[in-house]
């Protein structure tokens, strides 16, 4: 029987063996991710236009001040639902694990790229989990405060003093989400080989080995345990070992 | 050649018979929303004010009618909400509203009917202007008039949050903010506000602010003689004074006049939101952006080595061929891994 998933999400699997590539995100998840990213960029740019007069010219990107004012909250709602989609797909693997503590304590090694000193990790490291939970929290704050200050559709939802607080909270949360956004994009680019996870859906075996070895191992074990209709040459040989060894491999 | 209109000194003057050029020039603007550097005005206009003597108001609403007519607004015909106020509140089409309050004076045990003409106060330090994100949507002239310029307004409603008097209203279809203009288009041609001109009791007067204060002082004295010991002028200093002022018979209790703020000032939340912290936030955002871009270009990337790709394949083969003897004939069999493994 195929091993139960503990470190991986549905769809994650060893995609090919030569060269070794690992499937990390399904098409649906990738589309969901890019919709969220597009919303986020529109929101950051349009929000920045209201945030500071020196950036008001950004309204030109959206067809003027009135259009920007109209568009921003609508895209905000779209972002909320789009992110909700990501959240439902990803929350479980972003729950904290024991190894996250050690990883966080060795943040110096993380930044120097000395990954051989770091613990083996599942699908996400503590930094990625931070991005996930940080964004989740801030988007909740942004949608709630955003609706409170949404003049067009909710002009009198809350009192003016509450609206004053909401607009400050909204601006602070937006700033926070910008920092997380930058950190997220930066990490994806700095850690070479990551972007393809969200474009093609796959990463190289070396990438999975270096950064998320527990996840990689689970997928390899699942591949081994697969019923042998797949690549005959490997599975054929392993097929028989399996029955005998399946139980012995589990407690890893 | 038409000549420049004179500055208005009273609401009682009659309109001129010759066409006159506007006397409220773009260079007379001293503050502009979302604009840090306003060119210093070339001249200082006489500071004007509208004085509303609450003790003289008879609640006839002539001012409301005059305002509707002059500004060509079209307030909806509403339902009676059980009090004299009509419409029920300031609206994008009703820039001024008579508010009626019944108050039992604890000293005399008498019921007093307090009528206040609500509307924009034309603050010296306008919270609406401070909050507005759209350059040029709100301006303040050197005569003290705070005016909304609808062409530049984006309808965001920030001014609603900024105003300590709950005055601006966003138009539902035009999506722009509306309020009393102090009849800036009349002032520009030497005329006083329409509401002041229409007022039958001269409860509303208009003129240079200093003269209005002097007039108010006379009225206060008169009221005191008539037993209103706490009569006084409402020209709240928390917002730097206002260009619409009230004479109140109970100036010690402004709130009894349908919630006139006792000590209005721009909310600390608005000050924090629009204050130096904003620039700090902007700088932090810019620094994060630039810093990460530069770091990304110059720092050593976190790369997967060729060696790690091989190790991955070996580990994979190890797992897939869990049994040590299943070495088989593959290229990267467990034998190779045995040599290379650390
Ligand atoms: C990641 C998401 C978001 C970001 C980065 C963001 C950013 C911003 C920023 C920077 C401002 C200007 C604040 C200021 O003037 O100081 C703003 C204003 C505003 N935001 Fe958001 N926001 C986001 C999501 C939302 C959501 C979900 C909603 C509502 C449903 C929303 C509704 C508004 C509204 C109504 C305004 C006032 C300006 C307007 O009317 O367009 N925002 N936002
Ligand atoms: S609604 Fe118009 S006037 Fe009011 S703050 Fe927004 S842009 Fe400025
Ligand atoms: S009363 Fe409100 S709308 Fe009028 S000038 Fe003051 S802050 Fe602006
Ligand atoms: S000054 Fe003009 S705009 Fe303001 S309330 Fe009077 S009539 Fe209306």
């Amino acid at each position: 029987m195929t091993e139960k998933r503990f470190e991986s999400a549905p769809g994650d699997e060893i995609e090919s063996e030569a060269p070794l590539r690992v499937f990390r995100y399904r098409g649906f998840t990738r589309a969901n991710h890019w919709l969220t990213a597009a919303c986020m960029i529109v929101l950051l740019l349009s929000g920045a236009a209201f945030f500071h007069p020196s950036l008001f010219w950004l309204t030109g990107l959206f067809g003027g001040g009135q259009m920007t004012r109209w568009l921003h909250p609508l895209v905000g709602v779209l972002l909320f639902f789009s992110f909700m989609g990501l959240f439902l797909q990803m929350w479980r693997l972003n729950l904290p694990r024991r190894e996250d503590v050690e990883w966080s304590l060795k943040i110096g090694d993380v930044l120097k790229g000395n990954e051989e000193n770091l613990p083996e990790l599942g699908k996400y490291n503590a930094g990625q989990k931070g991005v996930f939970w940080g964004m989740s929290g801030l988007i909740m704050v942004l949608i709630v405060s955003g609706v409170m200050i949404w003049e067009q559709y909710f002009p009198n939802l809350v009192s003016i003093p509450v609206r004053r607080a909401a607009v400050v909270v909204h601006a602070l949360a937006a700033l926070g989400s910008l920092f997380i956004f930058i950190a997220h994009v930066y990490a994806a680019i700095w850690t070479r080989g990551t972007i393809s996870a969200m474009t093609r859906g796959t990463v190289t075996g070396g990438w999975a080995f270096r950064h998320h070895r527990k996840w990689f191992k689970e997928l390899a074990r699942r591949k081994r345990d697969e019923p042998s209709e797949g690549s005959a040459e490997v599975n054929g040989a392993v097929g028989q070992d399996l029955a005998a060894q399946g139980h012995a491999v589990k407690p890893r | 050649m038409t000549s420049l209109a004179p500055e208005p000194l009273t609401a009682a003057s009659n309109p001129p018979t010759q066409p006159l050029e506007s006397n409220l020039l773009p260079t007379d603007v001293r503050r502009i929303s979302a604009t840090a550097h306003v060119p210093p005005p070339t001249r200082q206009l006489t500071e004007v004010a509208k004085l509303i003597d609450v003790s003289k108001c008879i609640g006839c609403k002539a001012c409301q009618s005059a305002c509707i007519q002059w500004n060509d607004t079209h307030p909806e015909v509403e339902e009676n909400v059980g009090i004299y106020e009509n419409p029920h509140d300031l609206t994008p089409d009703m820039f001024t509203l008579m508010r009626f309050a019944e108050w039992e004076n604890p000293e005399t045990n008498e019921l007093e009917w307090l009528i206040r003409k609500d509307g924009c106060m034309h603050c010296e330090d306008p919270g609406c202007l401070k909050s507005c994100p759209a350059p040029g949507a709100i301006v303040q002239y050197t005569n003290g008039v705070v005016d909304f310029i609808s062409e530049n307004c984006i309808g965001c409603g920030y001014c609603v949050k900024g105003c300590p008097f709950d005055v601006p209203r966003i138009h539902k279809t035009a999506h722009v903010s509306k309020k009393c203009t102090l009849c800036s288009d009349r002032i520009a041609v030497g005329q006083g506000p329409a509401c002041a001109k229409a007022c039958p009791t001269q409860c509303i007067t208009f003129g240079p602010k200093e003269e209005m204060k002097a007039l108010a002082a006379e009225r206060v004295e008169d009221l005191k003689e008539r037993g209103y010991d706490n009569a006084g002028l409402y020209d709240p200093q928390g917002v730097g004074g206002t260009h619409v002022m009230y004479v109140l018979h109970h100036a010690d209790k402004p709130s009894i006049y349908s919630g006139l703020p006792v000590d209005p000032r721009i909310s600390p939340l608005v000050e924090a939101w629009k204050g130096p912290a904003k620039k700090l936030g902007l700088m932090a955002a810019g620094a994060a952006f630039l810093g990460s871009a530069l770091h990304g270009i110059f720092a050593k990337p976190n790369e997967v080595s060729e060696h790690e790709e091989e190790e991955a394949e070996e580990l994979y083969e190890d797992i897939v061929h869990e049994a040590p003897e299943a070495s088989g004939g593959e290229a990267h069999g467990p034998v190779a891994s045995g040599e290379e493994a650390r």
Side-chain angles (χ1 to χ4, degrees), chain A residues 119-197:
Chain A
E120 292 192 1
L121 300 174
K123 188 165 180 176
Y124 298 112
N125 64 37
Q128 292 166 301
K129 290 178 185 180
V131 168
F132 178 83
W133 291 110
M135 272 297 183
S136 305
L138 288 176
I139 286 174
M140 275 312 291
V141 171
L142 284 165
I143 185 90
V144 170
S145 59
V147 167
M148 288 179 174
I149 58 173
W150 197 347
E151 188 63 41
Q152 189 167 357
Y153 297 113
F154 301 96
N156 295 311
L157 186 67
V158 293
S159 70
I160 289 175
V162 175
R163 273 179 260 171
R164 287 178 187 140
V167 77
V168 174
V169 167
H170 195 81
L172 285 173
L175 210 56
S177 72
L178 173 74
F179 293 139
I180 295 183
F181 180 81
I182 289 177
H184 174 65
V185 175
Y186 181 84
I189 295 174
W190 179 66
T191 314
R192 296 291 194 271
T194 306
I195 307 275
S196 73

Side-chain angles (χ1 to χ4, degrees), chain B residues 50 63-68 70-71 94-97 117-120 122 179-187 192-197 204 206 244:
Chain B
K50 190 163 75 176
C63 52
Q64 278 187 228
S65 303
C67 182
I68 291 170
W70 177 257
N71 292 294
M94 191 69 262
F95 303 165
T96 187
L97 178 70
K117 178 185 184 294
D118 196 6
C120 175
H122 295 270
K179 70 162 188 69
C180 158
T181 64
L182 207 65
C183 284
S184 56
D185 48 352
R186 292 174 60 86
I187 289 179
C195 54
K197 184 151 190 173
I204 312 172
F206 172 84
V244 171

